[in-house]
Structures are given as structure tokens and as C-alpha cells.
Amino acid sequence: MATPTTWWLLPVLLVTFLYCCCSSPGPPAPPSNLECFRPCNPTHCSVIECIWDPKPPPDIGPIYTLHWKPENEEEKPVTTRNSLDGKICRENFESHGELRVWVQNQNGSVKSQEIVIHTQNIIKPPPPTITLSEEDPLEIHWSTICGELELNVGVCDVRYRIKDDQNWIRTEYNLSSSYGVIEPQPSTVYEFQVRCKCDPSLMSDWSPSYSIKSAESSPVGEVDAWLDCGLLLSNSDCFLYWKNLSISQARGYILGYEITVFYNNRTEQLIHVSTHNPSSLFVYDELKWRLTSSLKNVSSFSVSAYNALGATKTSRLPRPIPGKQATEPKIYLKMNEKNLTVSWNQSSKVSDGIKQYVVQYKECLPGSGSDWIKVDKKQTTAFFEGTFKKYTPYQVSLFAVSNSNAISQLATATGYSAQGVPSKVTSFKVSDIVGTKVILTWEPVPCSNQTGVILYYEIGLNKQGDPNHKPEHYINITDTTYTLKDLSPGQGYTVWIRAVTAAGPSEKVNKTFKTNHHEDYAFVTPIVVIVLLVIAIAITSFILCVFHGGKKECPLLPQCLYEKVPDPSNSQIFKQMKRQINEPLTWMRSPLYEPYPTISILEIVEIKSKVFDPDMMKKENGCPLMDCQDDQQEDPTRESSDSTDSRYGRKEYSKMVDSDEERNDSWSSSEEEQSTSGYEKHFMPSPLEVMVE
């Protein structure tokens, strides 16, 4: 039921319906381009055929009819019975007469322009027949039926092209029976067509294409070869690829290829590849060739193609070297399922030393398809045609070939004909928790598993047990690590990550962790451990020294903690006494002065016996006073008089007596005073001081 808002549409629809159904179509367009001819065969030329525009539709039937009348007779035109194809039968016209012809519709309201034709001049002979051809020189010959029709041979036209080309090369040199191509491409298939006319007659149709192959010649140019060394140029295996020569370069049937491989150890390997004998050494896919053997340690290579008449120039290329230019160009990709366009910007400094650029694309999957193209150094665009898979990464690389024939990689980029949602992030870990900071790590998606260019990684953080906490989001553009800062101490968290491409984000990967209660624990613990270790070592040393004994040295304590014992060997007295004994006159010499004594401590112990012999300075028991005094001054820490000083490896000072003193005990007090050095005066008491006491 119509609503008030649609009432106004009803009159419009009614008027439109009546106009479409009841209105009569306008008059058809008048016919044009009326043309008539007499097709001939080798025996006769029977009827006249006329054509015009527009042609009648095949499903409607004839709209126009053909009319004609003799040009010089006043009579009504005769309408043919077979007006569907516009033919005039032989009995309706004279052989050398003239006819006025036109076309009109059934009621005569639409009519074409009238034309006058001469029945003899509209003869159209059949196409000529190519009878002979030669390869060298490339030439064709043909024949016509003009003689059989009792007509003179007129002019002919020839056109030719290389097979499968779209454009014809046409010649109009008033030819009659033959034509030759000047400097044709060797071993190239050409197609020829010829048309002729008799005199007088119309031009025939083009003859069917006639194919002929030109003579072979030695191949020219160089083989387009390339060494594919993978994404890591320095550590990857290399595989040699090369393409078929073009027809203009091959100039004949290529019998094979000759490859020379140069290795880093300056050895060479010659490989022959036959085009008609299959082998496990190479693979051929109708477009390019590839050696199956790896060329990991190769330094350079050369390739040449040969046929029965010669070989091409050897093309030699070194292994691409890794490295970056001072000014790296940036490449841009425009890619769909049918083609790939690569463009780049270039610097004038870089392009000065460049001979050409090489652009290569390949799938990230190993062993998949790849292709390359070489362009001039002035170009900044390369175009590839092919079938590029969806959701498949293609690695595009730009190389530069220098004037010295060195190849270096300038830039790389990854492209997709259509991108998909990425896969989950792998190896997502909470690698380190330091106080309120947490370090997250993950691994990038391998190139073979990528379905699109990863724009960034999205990270989310949620507090555990806190429904009022608002989730936090972080975005990390390029790295595979991220640090979460200023977290709450002793709090549990749930963190997730996902990769994002132009098609959308991947599935989330979740991890849980808990922060430490106090941030200072991280560095306080090592300090406490060190302090406890030092205390334990000190206590252990003390206990061992106590049990070792009071008179013995503790081996765990350093020697610097013990009191120093005077070294008698440093005393000048003993040295002088020895010289006096050995030399009798040396007592007359003055005593030597010892400026820097080395004995630092001397303890004097009171001697209980007061007996003193002024002549020999002996006790009643006959021992020297100095020796007896030394016996009384012996440190209680020493075990016996025969013990040695373990720290200095010699006898103690109190027990050491010069051997010369034992042989000569008769000193005088005056001689002793004269021979006493500053060393003894400073550290030891004189005999008189001992006697007073």
C-alpha cells in the first residue's frame, strides 16, 4: 500500500511507462560506405557482391535491400531476390556495362548514396600464391591468375614481420613477382603476406602468412648471467643462473654453454652444459638455467654460449660483496599479483662510479623462483612481469656494478602482492626482573613464515587481582626487546604481545610475572655475603693460631704482624772483628761508621749475677759476658738456643757469636770502645753500663 510520501511518484512512473510503450522509434540511420566487387576464381568471375554499413544484425534479418539499374537505360530498378547478402547474379548485368547501385529500407524512407560501377573494372582476383623462398638471401617469389583471366599483371604489395610480433613492415615498390629482405636477423622466422591486382582490376586480399627462417650466423652479445648468493652474501652458498639468448643474439640454434668457475684458492673448473642432452648438473625451466652444484667458495665466473658457427663473448662477473655504500639509496616497491615495480633514488656521488644497476627479486622460501634485470645507471626504475603469490614475502635487492666490474649490494626490501594477518610472536620471555623494571624479549618472525610487513609490535600490561586497573598499552616499532618501568613492587602482572601488519594484528601471546618487594635487595645481598665471608676468615685464623701454640708462629698470620728481630749480619763490629783477626794491623784503623742501622728494637734484661771480670769480661763459669747476657735475654717465645728464626732463615741475634770471637777472647776495654760502631752504641748497652747495674 502506497504511503503519502510516495503518492507523487505514481504520475511520474505512469508517464514514463506510456512513453516507453507507445512511442514509435525514430527512422534508422542511412546506409553508408557502399562498395561492390566481382570476386574471381581461376575459372570465372560470376556475381557482383556489395557491402555497406551498418551490417544487418544476424538475429533480426535484413533491414535494407540492394537496388540497381543500367546507367544508360530509363527503366525501373530490379530488386534481387537474394537481398540478404546483397548479390547481383551474372544474368542481371552485362560483362562490360555500367550499373547504378544504391541501398534503401523497405518503405524507401532511408536511402544511401548512389554509385556507378563498371562491371569489368570491379574484378577482384584471388590472393597470389607464394611459390618459392630462399634463406640466404631471405627472398620469396609468388604467382597470380591475371594471365588466366586474360588480364595483364598489375602491381603487388608485400608485408612481413618477425614471427609473433604485432606490427607488420609494409612495402609498396610496384612489385610483380618477388621480394627480398635486406640484412635480416640471422636464424629468425619471418612471416610474409602478398596481395596483387590485375590490369584493370581491384587489389586482391592478403595471401595467407608464409613463414621462412633466415640463415644462421655466429651468436653476438653476452649471456645474461647472475650469481645468487642468498640474503647473507658472505656466508651463503651461491648458485649460478643464466637466461636464454634472445633471437637477435643467438642468430641460430644454441648447442650449449661453456662455464668457467674461479675459486678463492685460484683454481678453475670448466663445465659444459648441453642444450639437447639433459644432465643432473643443471636445471632448465624454459626461461633460465641454473647449476645444481653449490659455489660457496667462488670468487667469479664466466659464461659463453655457442652454436655451429661460433660463440658469444665471455661474460664474467665476480661474486657480489657485502657492505654498505657511503650514501645508500632507498628502494620503493609497488607490487600486485601480476607485476612488480621497483624504484630508487640515487646520489650523484654514487652513480659516478657505477656502470649499471641490477635488480633482483626472490621468494624467501629456499629453492623458490627468482628473477633479475639489468638497467642503465641513468635509470631509477625496474619493471617485472610474472605471477606473484599472495601472502608470500619477496626479497628485492638492488646491486651496483662498478666501472671496474665489481658488484656490491646497495639496499634490500621485502614486498607482498597481498598481505595477511601475521603469525604469533615466538619465544616471548620475561628475561629479567630488576626491582620495578622488567625486560621483555622475543624473536622476530622468520622471513619464510611472514605473511605481511610487520609494522610494529603491540604490548599490553594488566595488574593481577585489581579489577579497577586500566590496561596499559605500549608500541615498539623495530626492536625485539622492551623494558617496562615504574611498576609496583611485589605486584603480579600479565603481559601480552602481538605483531601488527596492514591486514591486522596477530594472536596474543601471554606471560605472567611478579616484581620484587624491595628494589635494594639486588645490590645489598652481595655486600652482606662479602662481609660475612671476611668475618668467618678472621675467626678461623684466630682459632687456628690459638691451637697452634704460644711459642710458635701462626702460619696463617702475615709476617708483618710479628716484631722484627735485629739482623746481626748488618753489624759492622762483626765485619771489623773478622778483618782484625785475619789481618793483625787492622786494629789500628778507626772503626767504620754505620749511618743507617737496621736493628729497630733492643730489649735489656737485668742479669742476676754481678760477677764481672774486668780483664776478660767473663763470668765465673767462663762464658763470655755478652753471650751470657744474650742467653738471659732470649725471648720466651723461642723454644731453645738452637732454634732459628723462621721468618728470616738465620740464627737469632742473642745466640749468634762470631767464630773469630771464639778464637780470640782477650779483648781490652779500650779496644772494645774503639771498635764499637754507631750501630751498637745506638741499640746495645756498653760493658760499663752493664757493670754499673
Side-chain angles (χ1 to χ4, degrees):
M1 181 176 179
T3 60
T5 57
T6 59
W7 280 111
W8 64 274
L9 295 174
L10 295 178
V12 177
L13 295 176
L14 180 60
V15 171
T16 305
F17 177 78
L18 294 176
Y19 177 80
C20 294
C21 296
C22 301
S23 60
S24 59
S32 59
N33 299 327
L34 178 61
E35 181 182 356
C36 298
F37 56 89
R38 291 178 64 186
C40 300
N41 55 37
T43 58
H44 62 280
C45 304
S46 57
V47 298
I48 297 176
E49 295 182 5
C50 296
I51 56 176
W52 61 88
D53 293 328
K55 295 178 175 59
D59 55 342
I60 297 179
I63 300 177
Y64 301 102
T65 57
L66 179 65
H67 300 264
W68 71 91
K69 67 176 182 178
E71 174 61 19
N72 297 324
E73 296 183 6
E74 295 293 335
E75 60 182 27
K76 294 181 180 180
V78 178
T79 302
T80 62
R81 296 179 181 179
N82 191 6
S83 61
L84 180 62
D85 52 5
K87 294 181 180 180
I88 302 176
C89 297
R90 179 65 184 84
E91 60 270 15
N92 294 325
F93 64 89
E94 295 180 358
S95 177
H96 292 75
E98 292 183 348
L99 296 177
R100 183 174 292 272
V101 183
W102 70 92
V103 178
Q104 67 182 31
N105 59 359
Q106 295 180 358
N107 57 15
S109 60
V110 178
K111 181 179 178 181
S112 68
Q113 294 183 354
E114 297 180 355
I115 61 172
V116 177
I117 60 175
H118 192 282
T119 57
Q120 186 65 22
N121 295 340
I122 62 173
I123 292 176
K124 187 175 183 178
T129 302
I130 299 177
T131 58
L132 184 63
S133 61
E134 297 179 5
E135 295 182 356
D136 190 16
L138 186 62
E139 189 175 83
I140 59 172
H141 300 264
W142 63 87
S143 62
T144 64
I145 64 168
C146 293
E148 299 176 6
L149 297 177
E150 299 180 356
L151 298 174
N152 296 325
V153 178
V155 296
C156 299
D157 294 338
V158 176
R159 66 181 184 183
Y160 66 93
R161 65 181 179 185
I162 297 176
K163 189 176 182 179
D164 298 330
D165 282 357
Q166 298 297 325
N167 300 324
W168 291 90
I169 301 174
R170 185 172 176 178
T171 61
E172 297 180 354
Y173 300 124
N174 297 325
L175 304 174
S176 58
S177 60
S178 64
Y179 176 75
V181 179
I182 301 175
E183 296 183 356
Q185 296 184 14
S187 189
T188 304
V189 177
Y190 285 85
E191 293 181 344
F192 291 89
Q193 287 184 334
V194 184
R195 66 179 183 179
C196 297
K197 70 176 182 178
C198 301
D199 189 17
S201 73
L202 299 177
M203 186 69 72
S204 68
D205 293 332
W206 290 105
S207 65
S209 294
Y210 184 86
S211 299
I212 181 176
K213 187 177 183 180
S214 60
E216 287 191 2
S217 182
S218 298
V220 295
E222 296 183 3
V223 178
D224 187 3
W226 186 246
L227 194 62
D228 182 15
C229 296
L231 302 180
L232 300 176
L233 299 181
S234 58
N235 299 322
S236 301
D237 292 345
C238 295
F239 293 92
L240 178 61
Y241 290 81
W242 69 93
K243 297 180 180 179
N244 287 330
L245 292 175
S246 63
I247 296 175
S248 60
Q249 289 179 312
R251 307 178 73 174
Y253 180 75
I254 298 299
L255 299 176
Y257 298 89
E258 190 175 88
I259 302 169
T260 305
V261 182
F262 301 90
Y263 292 94
N264 294 329
N265 57 3
R266 297 186 178 181
T267 60
E268 300 179 7
Q269 181 184 8
L270 183 62
I271 302 175
H272 293 279
V273 176
S274 175
T275 58
H276 57 276
N277 292 329
S279 173
S280 59
L281 295 177
F282 60 88
V283 177
Y284 179 56
D285 61 357
E286 302 298 332
L287 294 176
K288 55 183 176 294
W289 304 74
R290 177 176 69 87
L291 284 183
T292 56
S293 59
S294 171
L295 305 176
K296 187 173 184 179
N297 297 319
V298 69
S299 61
S300 61
F301 63 92
S302 63
V303 183
S304 62
Y306 60 90
N307 62 8
L309 300 177
T312 63
K313 180 181 177 182
T314 300
S315 61
R316 181 167 181 172
L317 286 177
R319 178 192 181 109
I321 57 176
K324 298 182 178 181
Q325 299 291 328
T327 305
E328 294 184 14
K330 185 176 181 181
I331 57 178
Y332 306 91
L333 308 180
K334 186 177 181 181
M335 190 175 187
N336 55 42
E337 296 181 40
K338 294 183 179 180
N339 54 67
L340 166 65
T341 303
V342 184
S343 59
W344 62 91
N345 51 10
Q346 63 178 354
S347 171
S348 58
K349 296 182 180 179
V350 177
S351 60
D352 290 342
I354 292 179
K355 179 173 62 176
Q356 63 180 0
Y357 289 106
V358 180
V359 183
Q360 178 194 17
Y361 80 84
K362 61 180 299 182
E363 294 185 31
C364 284
L365 297 175
S368 301
S370 64
D371 196 7
W372 70 92
I373 187 172
K374 299 178 180 179
V375 298
D376 187 77
K377 69 175 183 178
K378 297 181 180 179
Q379 277 187 248
T380 57
T381 304
F383 182 78
F384 295 92
E385 288 185 347
T387 302
F388 299 96
K389 304 174 185 177
K390 291 183 177 180
Y391 319 127
T392 302
Y394 289 88
Q395 194 78 23
V396 182
S397 302
L398 176 65
F399 298 86
V401 182
S402 66
N403 295 327
S404 60
N405 215 31
I407 300 176
S408 58
Q409 183 174 343
L410 300 181
T412 60
T414 303
Y416 297 82
S417 60
Q419 299 192 49
V421 176
S423 57
K424 294 193 302 183
V425 177
T426 58
S427 301
F428 180 50
K429 299 177 183 178
V430 179
S431 61
D432 197 3
I433 301 177
V434 182
T436 58
K437 294 191 302 182
V438 174
I439 300 177
L440 308 176
T441 61
W442 62 93
E443 293 183 358
V445 180
C447 182
S448 57
N449 296 335
Q450 292 181 8
T451 57
V453 178
I454 296 179
L455 303 176
Y456 56 88
Y457 292 95
E458 185 178 2
I459 299 174
L461 183 66
N462 297 320
K463 274 188 178 181
Q464 296 178 357
D466 189 357
N468 297 325
H469 177 259
K470 185 178 180 181
E472 301 179 13
H473 291 80
Y474 307 91
I475 293 178
N476 187 12
I477 302 299
T478 56
D479 294 335
T480 55
T481 62
Y482 193 80
T483 302
L484 301 175
K485 300 179 181 179
D486 301 329
L487 302 179
S488 300
Q491 175 65 48
Y493 289 92
T494 299
V495 64
W496 55 263
I497 188 173
R498 62 183 179 182
V500 181
T501 64
S506 66
E507 183 180 348
K508 294 181 180 179
V509 179
N510 298 306
K511 290 290 180 181
T512 59
F513 66 90
K514 187 176 181 180
T515 57
N516 298 325
H517 286 278
H518 297 287
E519 187 176 358
D520 296 339
Y521 284 171
F523 59 88
V524 170
T525 301
I527 298 176
V528 173
V529 172
I530 294 173
V531 172
L532 293 178
L533 183 60
V534 172
I535 294 174
I537 294 174
I539 294 174
T540 304
S541 302
F542 177 77
I543 294 173
L544 292 177
C545 290
V546 169
F547 284 99
H548 192 68
K551 294 184 178 181
K552 295 184 179 180
E553 300 176 4
C554 181
L556 297 179
L557 295 178
Q559 299 294 336
C560 62
L561 299 180
Y562 293 98
E563 296 179 351
K564 294 183 178 179
V565 176
D567 187 359
S569 63
N570 293 327
S571 174
Q572 297 296 330
I573 296 176
F574 296 109
K575 296 179 181 179
Q576 189 174 9
M577 290 175 63
K578 185 175 182 180
R579 288 194 298 270
Q580 289 176 354
I581 293 172
N582 295 331
E583 299 179 10
L585 297 179
T586 55
W587 62 272
M588 299 178 62
R589 299 176 185 177
S590 60
L592 298 177
Y593 174 70
E594 184 181 6
Y596 299 102
T598 58
I599 298 178
S600 59
I601 299 175
L602 177 65
E603 182 181 0
I604 302 175
V605 181
E606 182 179 359
I607 301 175
K608 294 180 181 182
S609 176
K610 300 296 183 176
V611 179
F612 177 74
D613 187 350
D615 296 329
M616 301 304 294
M617 299 174 59
K618 292 184 178 181
K619 284 185 179 183
E620 291 180 354
N621 55 7
C623 67
L625 179 61
M626 298 293 294
D627 294 343
C628 294
Q629 183 179 356
D630 292 340
D631 293 340
Q632 298 296 328
Q633 292 175 348
E634 183 180 13
D635 195 335
T637 59
R638 305 294 187 264
E639 290 184 356
S640 64
S641 61
D642 296 334
S643 63
T644 59
D645 192 344
S646 61
R647 294 168 294 169
Y648 303 103
R650 58 179 176 269
K651 295 283 185 178
E652 296 181 3
Y653 181 79
S654 62
K655 298 301 296 179
M656 291 184 67
V657 178
D658 199 305
S659 58
D660 295 332
E661 183 181 7
E662 293 178 352
R663 290 195 298 267
N664 187 10
D665 294 337
S666 58
W667 298 4
S668 66
S669 60
S670 60
E671 290 176 349
E672 182 180 6
E673 290 177 356
Q674 294 176 358
S675 63
T676 303
S677 67
Y679 181 89
E680 281 79 6
K681 289 181 180 180
H682 183 76
F683 291 100
M684 298 180 64
S686 65
L688 295 177
E689 291 175 349
V690 175
M691 291 175 62
V692 172
E693 294 180 358

